[in-house]
Structure formats: C-alpha cells, structure tokens
Amino acid sequence: MNSTNRNKLLQYGRELLELELYEAQKLPTRLGDDFVKACELILSIKGKVVVSGIGKSGHIGKKIAASLASTGTPAFFMHPSEALHGDLGMVTENDIVILISYSGRAKEFNLILPILKEMKVPVIAITGGLTSPLAKSADALLDISIEKEACPMGLAPTSSSTNTLLMGDALAIALMRIKEFKEEDFARSHPAGSLGAKLLNHVKDVMRTGERVPKISEHTTVFDAMLELSRTGLGLVAVCNQNNQIIGVFTDGDLRRLLLNHGTLQDEITHVMTKPGYRLPESWKAIEALKSFNDHNITAAPVVDHDGKLVGALNIHDLHLAGIH
C-alpha cells in the first residue's frame, strides 16, 4: 500500500473517533430526572427488563440486556418482529420494557406500544427522536441524539449506536452500584470464568480425595512415609492417629534434613515429623488457600474438616488447574 493511501486510512479512522467522542461527550449533561426515573422504575419491578430494538439498535440492545443480566438486573432481549408473532407473550405485567430506536419511529414499535400500554407495562425509550411517537409514549426518555453520524454519508449508524451503547452501560452500572452488587454476585453469573473460579470454588471443590491423599499411621517409620511420598508425588504425607486426625506432617524437605543429619529410614515417624503441621480447612475458599500458600511459602497441605480429620489434600498446581491464580 502506498503512503498516500496509508495516510488516508489513518486520517479516516481518526476523524471517526474524534467525531464519535465529540458526540459522546454530550451525554453526561443529559442525565437528569428521566435517567433517575428509568432506574427507579427498573428497581421497583418484580419481573425482568425486556430490551428490544431492530437493526443496529437490536445488536446494541442484546449487549445492553446482557450487561444488565450479568450485573444483577434480570433482563433478556426480544426481537420486535418476533414479538409481533408470539414473543410478546414473554412480557408480563411485572416486567418493564426498554425500546431502542434512534428515530423513535420504528414501525414495529407502533404496534407494540399500544399493547404494552394496555398491559400497564412501563416503557423506557432510548432514542434521538425526542418528539417521536416512541418518545411521547415512554415513561422515561433517555436522550441519545447527535448532530452528525460519523459515517460520511450519514447513513450507517455510528455516533448514534455508540451513544446507545454508552447510555445502556450507564443504566446497567448505575443500577449495579445502587444495589451494592459485589464480586461474589458477579461471579455467580460467570461461574465458568476466572473470577467465578476464584470466588465460588472452595477447598473441598478442588482438593484431592481418596487414594490420591498421602496418609500414614502414627505407628510407622520414615521408610513408610518415603513410599507414600513417592506414590502420591504431593511433596508431603499426613500423619494420622486412629481417629484419622492429623497429628503432624512429613515433607520432602523433612526427609532431606533427616538424611543430612544421619537419620535412618527406620526412625519412627513421630520422632521426625513436623508438629502440628500446616493444614487447610475444607470450608475455605480456594482463593484463600492460594493466599495462604503464598503467605507461608509452601506449595501443598493436607485438608481437614471441622473436627480436624483428614479429608483431602491440595497443592498449588491443583489450584492453577482450577483456574485460580
């Protein structure tokens, strides 16, 4: 590509961004009583927020519905055309509807609005058509009007769709903050993500159990501990009494120190183990276990129940495999 075309591409991209930013800068001053009313209406409903829009407004509407749902405000997207052919039945008198149309004159909404009014379902309009049928029918009007689209022909929604997206984000995040929505709440709607792994998983969810847990009796020798260390590869062995309660641990490091100090594999384990030894409660969150590992500069620990009985084992690799870093 020659330098002239390269410079043109950069110029066109910068012009679009500058124009969209110029239009977006006007939005904060437009938030007033109607924005507050829109939030209050959503906070007062017993049902869900139904978001609807067609064309580019529809694509933005799907994102707004998703943002609301993931930040503590139950919501879903309803396509206007499908609404006119049965999907309007998804809307109940306990819901509220957000209708998105820059002109405010979408034909589908002209058919939907009378039905919503008859059902006494509140309507929030996100529009630039401040005197349009949609604006006049709305219980709350969110103004996204612009002077100029960034498209040079003024045809492709650009500045207007950006304003719509920003207004939807403002609504979702304002509601999230007033509800004091926390990280744990966010994680519940994102259980497969890294945040969900950190905040929802407990030690008992990610620990090793059964035969994978290194364990020996208090009436054994260092040789037995070494065999168990080799079998499980965890780097430690839990030493338990007859009630399966941990009375100490024996680690790879303990074995090395023993041999350097001229100990033998026939030494009784209770004479050389670390007492009482570090252990993790099964009820802890996995992220707490990771912090504890880092704080104590260790990589593994046995896991106990509230009675101090051995129920599992965990190392830092298990946490990383579970997405907890």
Side-chain angles (χ1 to χ4, degrees), residues 44-314:
S44 68
I45 62 168
K46 297 178 181 178
K48 292 180 171 60
V49 177
V50 184
V51 183
S52 191
I54 200 161
K56 303 299 186 296
S57 294
H59 295 307
I60 300 296
K62 291 176 184 177
K63 193 275 180 186
I64 293 174
S67 294
L68 287 166
S70 69
T71 54
T73 302
F76 65 89
F77 178 80
M78 177 182 68
H79 195 284
S81 295
E82 298 297 335
L84 295 174
H85 294 276
D87 281 5
L88 199 54
M90 295 189 293
V91 181
T92 74
E93 59 185 9
N94 293 320
D95 298 330
I96 188 169
V97 175
I98 298 177
L99 299 181
I100 307 171
S101 168
Y102 183 74
S103 69
R105 301 179 185 279
K107 293 179 181 178
E108 291 84 357
F109 289 169
N110 293 336
L111 298 173
I112 292 172
L113 281 166
I115 298 171
L116 296 177
K117 188 169 290 290
E118 184 180 349
M119 294 173 63
K120 297 182 180 179
V121 172
V123 172
I124 298 170
I126 300 181
T127 183
L130 306 185
T131 60
S132 65
L134 173 58
K136 292 177 180 178
S137 299
D139 296 278
L141 171 61
L142 302 182
D143 177 10
I144 55 164
S145 59
I146 60 169
E147 292 178 25
K148 183 181 180 182
E149 294 284 11
C151 168
M153 296 179 291
L155 300 176
T158 44
S159 303
S160 59
S161 57
T162 298
N163 276 12
T164 305
L165 181 62
L166 291 172
M167 187 64 76
D169 283 346
L171 196 61
I173 301 306
L175 290 166
M176 180 188 79
R177 295 180 68 177
I178 203 70
K179 291 179 179 181
E180 298 184 350
F181 193 78
K182 297 180 175 60
E183 282 188 339
E184 289 82 358
D185 302 313
F186 189 85
R188 290 188 184 95
S189 59
H190 298 76
S194 59
L195 181 62
K198 289 179 181 179
L199 298 179
L200 298 182
N201 280 324
H202 290 75
V203 168
K204 63 183 178 181
D205 299 320
V206 296
M207 69 183 184
R208 304 179 184 200
T209 59
E211 291 298 317
R212 301 179 66 206
V213 179
K215 167 189 171 184
I216 57 174
S217 163
E218 61 184 321
H219 306 297
T220 54
T221 65
V222 173
F223 181 74
D224 299 305
M226 185 184 71
L227 291 177
E228 191 70 352
L229 282 170
S230 300
R231 183 185 72 82
T232 59
L234 192 68
L236 63 81
V237 178
V239 183
C240 299
N241 61 21
Q242 61 182 6
N243 296 320
N244 203 38
Q245 293 173 315
I246 298 177
I247 61 171
V249 297
F250 188 77
T251 68
D252 287 335
D254 291 328
L255 177 61
R256 288 192 297 272
R257 285 186 288 272
L258 173 73
L259 297 177
L260 287 172
N261 291 324
H262 308 293
T264 73
L265 297 180
Q266 300 309 316
D267 288 352
E268 293 182 16
I269 195 65
T270 52
H271 293 165
V272 296
M273 67 184 183
T274 300
K275 295 183 289 187
Y278 188 75
R279 70 283 307 271
L280 291 169
E282 65 174 346
S283 60
W284 272 17
K285 288 183 178 179
I287 190 66
E288 291 178 295
L290 179 62
K291 183 179 184 303
S292 183
F293 280 166
N294 292 331
D295 289 346
H296 290 86
N297 196 29
I298 58 176
T299 59
V303 180
V304 297
D305 61 15
H306 65 281
D307 294 321
K309 292 183 178 180
L310 179 68
V311 292
L314 185 69

